[in-house]
Amino acid sequence: MTHLKTHLLLFGKVLVALLAISMLLLIAGQDLFPLMSPVDLLLSAGSGVILLIVVVYLPALACKVLQARSAAEGK
């Protein structure tokens, strides 16, 4: 149960960070890109943040999985 709770807590933190960064980029983007609609700015900011999380989080997760697999095999 704690393992699931830890992953849900991490997912919640990532979701809050995603929303906060997207909103900040939306606010800044309205001044920088006045010709784009707010929905387009929010979508592009959100996709950029998701891409950043994938690039940063997935290699760490893969490393952790490989360490757990090698520990389970007894290496």
Side-chain angles (χ1 to χ4, degrees):
M1 181 66 181
T2 3
H3 192 63
L4 177 65
K5 197 183 275 188
T6 304
H7 283 294
L8 289 176
L9 186 62
L10 178 64
F11 179 73
K13 287 180 182 179
V14 168
L15 185 63
V16 169
L18 174 87
L19 290 174
I21 292 173
S22 294
M23 290 307 294
L24 288 174
L25 289 173
L26 176 65
I27 292 167
Q30 284 181 336
D31 292 333
L32 296 174
F33 305 104
L35 298 177
M36 290 179 72
S37 70
V39 175
D40 290 337
L41 282 172
L42 188 60
L43 287 175
S44 58
S47 62
V49 170
I50 289 173
L51 182 64
L52 178 68
I53 289 172
V54 166
V55 167
V56 171
Y57 181 69
L58 280 185
L61 183 65
C63 182
K64 189 181 290 188
V65 167
L66 289 175
Q67 285 176 352
R69 186 176 295 168
S70 65
E73 291 175 355
K75 291 183 178 180

